[in-house]
């Protein structure tokens, strides 16, 4: 089968599309999925580079998110049969993430534990489904499961043009929030506004924290006036303290990652003076993915997909993710479909 294989850690030149990767043997408790669509996440960039403390069994087929059709069913599998349309939860029980600890979705076929399968509603396409797990699942748990956003909240989203960022914009609007989306170009800002963001800030030209204070007023220690209710910050680095500065008294800083640095400068004065809550949210669970599929099937949300590429151009798609040159998700459609 054709597959996008990572041979060694380094740059994207370590990725190669091969045509002779063996189709996985179907083992007990597993199913073979004919991949209809797979999508990239920034996590795939980290996988290619190599992450301290994580030993990836190389060579490996990358790609965490995938959806497709059951091709074969292994012994002991109940409730699934060839032809079933499925979304695959990237977390393989007892093993770890597909596309990292075991072969993932950037191939014509993928082997999945039957416990990873979620039935795909007829109204949801493979591309829509493949866009959901890591980005939308993470955002759904952060905003919905933890009940962190309520109608009327002012929600400022950093990195709003990426997968988790666009998912946060879509879900925050669904929850009735006033959304401030921060992006690194005028083009992305305008596209985010078209997605429903109420306000957009080009952070390369304007300090997002100062923008929020200028619009809503300076946060007050003794009242709840000024500032924003929620800041979604999965970048870290030098955005951390500015995020604290624009939060209103009793506001919440949500964090689910640290793409720009995990050890930022801190200023505890803002945390206690304004009684701030810093809330972490880690990954996603099956209930998040089921809920998201229902929202897509009902037409309440539409996953933001920048482009769909053939498998032969998959590495180019990951380069776009690395360079933050897209809005939303990059989806790959293998040639088998």
């Amino acid at each position: 089968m054709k597959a996008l294989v990572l041979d060694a850690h380094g740059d994207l030149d370590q990725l190669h599309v091969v045509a002779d990767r063996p189709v996985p043997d179907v083992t007990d408790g597993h199913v073979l999925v004919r991949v209809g669509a797979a999508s990239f996440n920034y996590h795939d960039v980290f996988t290619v580079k190599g992450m301290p403390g994580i030993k990836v069994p190389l060579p490996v087929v990358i790609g965490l998110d995938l959806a497709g059709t059951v091709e074969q069913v292994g012994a002991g599998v109940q409730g699934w049969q060839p032809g079933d349309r499925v979304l695959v939860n990237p977390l393989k029980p007892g093993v770890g993430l597909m596309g990292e600890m075991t072969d993932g979705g950037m191939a014509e076929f993928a082997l999945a534990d039957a416990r990873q399968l979620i039935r795909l509603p007829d109204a949801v396409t493979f591309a829509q489904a493949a866009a959901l797990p890591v980005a939308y699942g993470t955002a759904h748990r952060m905003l919905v499961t933890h009940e962190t956003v309520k109608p009327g909240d002012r929600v400022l989203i950093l990195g709003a043009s990426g997968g988790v960022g666009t998912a946060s914009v879509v879900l925050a609007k669904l929850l009735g929030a006033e959304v401030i989306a921060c992006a690194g170009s005028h083009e992305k800002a305008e596209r985010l506004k078209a997605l429903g963001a109420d306000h957009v800030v080009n952070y390369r030209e304007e300090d997002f924290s100062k923008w929020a204070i200028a619009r809503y007023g300076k946060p007050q220690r003794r009242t709840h006036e000024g500032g924003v209710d929620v800041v979604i910050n999965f970048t870290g680095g030098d955005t951390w303290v500015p995020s604290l500065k624009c939060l209103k008294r009793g506001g919440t800083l949500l964090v689910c990652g640290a793409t720009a640095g995990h050890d930022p400068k801190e200023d505890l004065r803002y945390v206690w003076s304004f009684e701030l809550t810093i809330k972490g949210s880690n990954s996603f669970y099956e209930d998040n993915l089921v809920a998201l599929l229902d929202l897509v099937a009902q037409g309440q949300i539409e996953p933001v997909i920048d482009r769909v590429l053939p498998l032969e151009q998959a590495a180019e798609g990951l380069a776009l993710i690395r360079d933050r040159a897209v809005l939303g998700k990059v989806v790959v459609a293998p040639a088998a479909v």
Side-chain angles (χ1 to χ4, degrees), residues 36 39 67 102 122 150 185 262 268 285 290 294 333:
S39 79
T102 185
D122 292 339
K150 61 184 183 297
S185 72
H262 69 276
L268 295 175
Y285 290 81
V290 172
D294 288 341

Side-chain angles (χ1 to χ4, degrees), residues 44 61 142 196 228 236 247:
D44 295 300
V61 177
M142 184 167 54
V228 300
L247 275 166

Side-chain angles (χ1 to χ4, degrees), residues 39 65-66 87-90 129-138 284 289 292:
S39 79
D65 297 339
L66 72 108
L87 172 63
V88 178
N89 185 329
L132 295 178
V134 172
Y136 283 77
T138 297
F284 54 88
L289 303 185
L292 286 163

Side-chain angles (χ1 to χ4, degrees), residues 78-96:
Q78 298 181 351
W80 300 102
Q81 60 185 5
D84 286 343
R85 301 171 73 249
V86 296
L87 172 63
V88 178
N89 185 329
L91 187 59
K92 188 170 185 177
V95 177

Side-chain angles (χ1 to χ4, degrees), residues 2-5 12 15-18 38-40 62 106-108 306-323 326 329-335:
K2 293 180 181 179
L4 180 67
V5 178
L12 299 191
L15 289 170
H16 301 97
V17 176
V18 302
S39 79
F40 282 121
I62 68 168
M106 295 293 160
E108 293 179 309
D306 188 277
R307 66 196 68 194
V308 179
L309 298 173
L311 187 60
E312 288 75 13
Q313 296 178 25
E316 299 171 29
L318 187 55
L320 294 171
I321 296 289
R322 177 198 62 193
D323 299 338
V326 296
K329 300 285 291 182
V330 171
V331 171
V332 172

Side-chain angles (χ1 to χ4, degrees), residues 125-168:
T125 68
F126 290 138
Q128 289 173 321
L132 295 178
V134 172
Y136 283 77
T138 297
H140 190 274
R141 178 169 175 78
M142 184 167 54
L143 274 66
V144 179
T145 302
H146 292 308
E147 299 180 338
T148 50
V149 173
K150 61 184 183 297
D153 277 353
R154 300 165 182 163
V155 178
L156 188 147
I157 302 169
L158 299 177
S161 62
V164 177
T166 50
S168 296

Side-chain angles (χ1 to χ4, degrees), residues 47-198:
T47 299
V48 172
K49 289 181 177 180
M51 292 173 282
I54 298 179
K55 186 173 177 58
V56 176
L58 300 172
V60 68
V61 177
I62 68 168
L64 286 71
D65 297 339
L66 72 108
T69 306
V70 174
E71 183 80 4
Q72 290 180 249
V73 176
V77 173
Q78 298 181 351
W80 300 102
Q81 60 185 5
D84 286 343
R85 301 171 73 249
V86 296
L87 172 63
V88 178
N89 185 329
L91 187 59
K92 188 170 185 177
V95 177
L97 287 171
M98 291 182 68
E100 181 181 273
M101 303 312 297
T102 185
D103 282 348
M106 295 293 160
E108 293 179 309
F109 296 95
L111 186 68
D113 190 306
R115 291 172 291 178
Q116 294 175 258
L117 304 184
I118 301 171
R119 200 168 299 278
L120 199 59
D122 292 339
V124 180
T125 68
F126 290 138
Q128 289 173 321
L132 295 178
V134 172
Y136 283 77
T138 297
H140 190 274
R141 178 169 175 78
M142 184 167 54
L143 274 66
V144 179
T145 302
H146 292 308
E147 299 180 338
T148 50
V149 173
K150 61 184 183 297
D153 277 353
R154 300 165 182 163
V155 178
L156 188 147
I157 302 169
L158 299 177
S161 62
V164 177
T166 50
S168 296
V169 171
V170 169
L171 291 173
K173 285 303 300 177
L174 184 69
L175 292 168
E178 179 182 348
V179 172
I180 306 103
C182 301
S185 72
H186 288 297
E187 179 189 3
K188 288 180 179 178
E190 290 306 310
R191 292 177 67 186
L192 286 164
K193 205 157 191 179
L195 286 177
D198 298 283

